[in-house]
Amino acid sequence: MTRPTLARLTLAMAAALSTLAAASAQAQSPAASETASNRALTHVRAHAQRTLHGADHSYAVRDVVIDADGTEHVRLERRFKGLRVLGGDLVTHTSRSGAFLDASHTLSREPRVDIAARLSPVDAVRAAMQQSRGAPDGSTPELLVYARGDQPVLAYDVRLYGEQEDGTPSELHVIIDALRGITIDAWDDIHTAPATGSGSGFFNGTVSLTTDLVSGTYNLRDPGRGNQYTVDMKNRQWGKGAIFTDADNAWGDGTLANRQTIGVDAQYGTAVTWDYYKLVHGRNGIANDGKGAYNRVHYGKKYNNAYWSDSCFCMTYGDGDGVSFNPFDSLDVAGHEMSHGLTSRTAGLVYSGESGGLNEGTSDIFGTAVEFYANNPNDPGDYLIGERIYKAAGKSLRNMIRPSSDGKSADCWYSNVGSLDVHYSSGVANHFFYLLAEGTSGGSPSPTCSAGDTRVATGAGSVSGIGRAKAEKIWFRALTVYMTSNTSYAGARAATISAANDLYGAGSPESTAVAAAWTAVGRN
């Protein structure tokens, strides 16, 4: 093997990192979580006017966040007569003393429907296949209450599996009205970069890696970070892949000729993202359960994309075509894809409409945050997404400073922004975050939005930035404490203002800046 340039991480260094991470994590015992959950369920029923609780409603706890001051935030999935209510999830907020403070949800009315379907499950699958690509896996469609619109309706969630035009797998949800047999919503559980291609350069240089010694052979697995690991798909699009192994614990050589090199970048990106969430936000892994996701690299042949999948709890990266694109596991793309997992385990923002734009925007925001956090001189932090995956300089997947520079993304909120592809409607969230963090002073190239139904900013005013660190804290708290599956941009404005009030005080400069930044992107 050619002598690699990557440095080894000693066991002492790994132990030090693990100790530092454990010291920074929030203490939250199972007993405290159970007490908070029980209080939340009591409050939901006692404050039905605010929670829109009904006699036929039941709940399951999805997540518990307990603040340092003892305030509790419990995320609940709602069911009506045993059926899941899509868009009916809520978060209860309880004081340390146990008093009900408020609840976050997006329902406009109590979800109540006749649960007798006119359409059979077989007919629902047939209707979905007539209007969408893919095939069922033989499982029965889920009958549920669809409550993302103004009027809750009985519907089927039909799952279709297939392949997108560029070779990306598809795990499509098609929502079929159980009375009329029409499609009322659809989204894919495979969260990708735009169809024009995504990828990552392998420009991280010499990095430290925590690995696992098994029977005299090193595995590219990180015991200190939830056993996150990386496998080589060997340019196949099926199977589980093979975990990277090495005899001397020195991986890759910085060239594409060595298959380990891309594995190094993926594993490094996953480790940095884990550390970012744990040391900055106190979250112990994507699902906050101490378990790591994993990476699949060398996926397909000349595959120009990367994606997150909930079904495998993993990130997948193509090698790129070698002409326009490098491999797709650059640092910000790794942070972006892994952050889709965070969203799925917290707010669960549905991947369509404005909530889909917020889902993509969240991944862009935290992908950027991870890149700045890494402080890697080979890939300095910036507000461009995926700029290293292009062979040609000066290109990127998205630009948070002025999203519309790609000719497709929206700088500003407008009434039909939710009809855009989620990668382009995310521009509103990206632009908001940039203005909140950096502001418009000092000759900023990021213009603000004027009043009116427009998607392109023209420069209508000024905003004072509060810095990335505070902006990241606000967005993380808004996502994990206040946003729910159907949150719109109006809801995101309210959620981030509430988060800023919690962190920095009502009427604080930070809270005022959040409101001003939303106004600057057209969402009053």
Side-chain angles (χ1 to χ4, degrees):
M1 175 185 294
T2 303
R3 182 64 182 172
T5 59
L6 294 174
R8 306 181 191 188
L9 180 65
T10 66
L11 293 178
M13 291 168 65
L17 279 176
S18 297
T19 301
L20 178 61
S24 68
Q26 295 174 330
Q28 188 167 301
S29 68
S33 294
E34 182 178 2
T35 299
S37 299
N38 291 336
R39 269 200 284 253
L41 293 169
T42 299
H43 287 321
V44 166
R45 298 179 175 94
H47 299 275
Q49 186 174 3
R50 182 69 189 93
T51 63
L52 295 184
H53 168 70
D56 296 311
H57 294 197
S58 59
Y59 305 88
V61 175
R62 283 186 52 199
D63 192 29
V64 177
V65 174
I66 302 177
D67 295 341
D69 66 358
T71 303
E72 300 164 352
H73 311 276
V74 180
R75 187 175 296 276
L76 302 164
E77 179 182 278
R78 187 190 309 255
R79 290 184 171 268
F80 173 74
K81 293 186 177 181
L83 301 181
R84 181 165 63 98
V85 181
L86 180 59
D89 50 312
L90 71 158
V91 184
T92 62
H93 311 289
T94 303
S95 72
R96 181 177 184 175
S97 65
F100 177 73
L101 298 175
D102 200 2
S104 299
H105 62 78
T106 59
L107 292 173
S108 57
R109 65 187 70 194
E110 178 193 336
R112 180 173 292 278
V113 300
D114 183 348
I115 64 170
R118 295 178 187 171
L119 207 67
S120 71
V122 172
D123 288 336
V125 172
R126 185 177 295 114
M129 292 181 66
Q130 287 175 348
Q131 303 172 57
S132 303
R133 298 175 61 178
D137 65 353
S139 60
T140 302
E142 179 188 7
L143 188 65
L144 50 73
V145 178
Y146 178 84
R148 293 192 70 209
D150 292 334
Q151 181 64 51
V153 297
L154 188 68
Y156 285 103
D157 180 2
V158 180
R159 300 294 299 276
L160 298 180
Y161 299 85
E163 190 173 276
Q164 300 175 33
E165 292 182 359
D166 68 348
T168 303
S170 175
E171 299 176 9
L172 195 65
H173 291 262
V174 184
I175 309 300
I176 301 294
D177 189 308
L179 302 181
R180 297 176 293 164
I182 63 172
T183 299
I184 54 179
D185 204 350
W187 65 89
D188 207 312
D189 264 352
I190 298 296
H191 299 168
T192 69
T196 54
S198 68
S200 64
F202 42 98
F203 299 105
N204 293 310
T206 301
V207 295
S208 296
L209 296 172
T210 302
T211 58
D212 191 18
L213 182 62
V214 180
S215 301
T217 300
Y218 292 97
N219 290 350
L220 199 54
R221 180 187 291 113
D222 191 339
R225 297 179 178 90
N227 284 314
Q228 296 180 151
Y229 63 95
T230 300
V231 301
D232 184 353
M233 292 298 292
K234 300 181 179 179
N235 301 110
R236 296 192 298 263
Q237 292 177 278
W238 63 89
K240 296 182 179 180
I243 191 168
F244 282 97
T245 60
D246 193 80
D248 64 0
N249 206 23
W251 306 80
D253 62 6
T255 72
L256 287 175
N258 187 319
R259 296 185 72 84
Q260 289 185 354
T261 297
I262 293 176
V264 166
D265 283 331
Q267 187 75 0
Y268 170 73
T270 307
V272 172
T273 304
W274 174 285
D275 289 351
Y276 168 76
Y277 280 121
K278 191 159 192 176
L279 301 180
V280 175
H281 300 294
R283 190 169 182 87
N284 188 24
I286 288 302
N288 207 24
D289 59 1
K291 298 178 181 178
Y294 74 97
N295 304 296
R296 307 193 307 169
V297 300
H298 297 303
Y299 175 85
K301 295 180 179 179
K302 299 184 178 181
Y303 177 60
N304 285 332
N305 224 323
Y307 65 86
W308 163 269
S309 173
D310 274 339
S311 63
C312 67
F313 202 64
C314 71
M315 291 75 65
T316 300
Y317 303 101
D319 286 341
D321 57 17
V323 178
S324 298
F325 294 101
N326 290 310
F328 274 65
D329 58 344
S330 66
L331 188 54
D332 56 355
V333 173
H336 172 106
E337 300 303 346
M338 200 165 169
S339 295
H340 278 306
L342 169 71
T343 297
S344 76
R345 266 45 180 191
T346 55
L349 292 161
V350 175
Y351 209 56
S352 70
E354 291 192 18
S355 62
L358 285 165
N359 189 318
E360 271 297 311
T362 293
S363 282
D364 283 350
I365 287 166
F366 288 128
T368 293
V370 165
E371 189 177 72
F372 275 108
Y373 172 82
N375 196 28
N376 187 313
N378 294 284
D379 190 3
D382 53 43
Y383 288 97
L384 304 175
I385 308 301
E387 73 282 358
R388 304 306 296 273
I389 70 174
Y390 285 89
K391 287 288 188 180
K395 293 186 175 183
S396 64
L397 295 175
R398 284 178 294 284
N399 184 331
M400 301 176 76
I401 301 171
R402 185 160 191 165
S404 64
S405 62
D406 64 6
K408 296 178 180 179
S409 296
D411 291 336
C412 317
W413 181 88
Y414 63 103
S415 59
N416 291 323
V417 74
S419 65
L420 296 178
D421 180 281
V422 295
H423 299 95
Y424 306 136
S425 61
S426 64
V428 181
N430 287 342
H431 193 197
F432 159 80
F433 183 82
Y434 176 82
L435 290 174
L436 178 63
E438 304 293 344
T440 57
S441 62
S444 169
S446 185
T448 55
C449 301
S450 57
D453 199 30
T454 178
R455 58 190 283 177
V456 178
T458 57
S462 62
V463 178
S464 296
I466 62 173
R468 282 191 314 278
K470 290 181 177 179
E472 291 167 19
K473 289 281 190 180
I474 289 168
W475 194 271
F476 182 86
R477 184 167 179 82
L479 177 77
T480 57
V481 171
Y482 292 109
M483 292 185 191
T484 56
S485 61
N486 197 35
T487 294
S488 63
Y489 274 114
R493 178 188 172 103
T496 48
I497 290 173
S498 293
N501 289 343
D502 292 347
L503 294 170
Y504 305 108
S508 63
E510 291 82 2
S511 181
T512 300
V514 168
W518 279 118
T519 299
V521 297
R523 182 66 276 191
N524 293 317

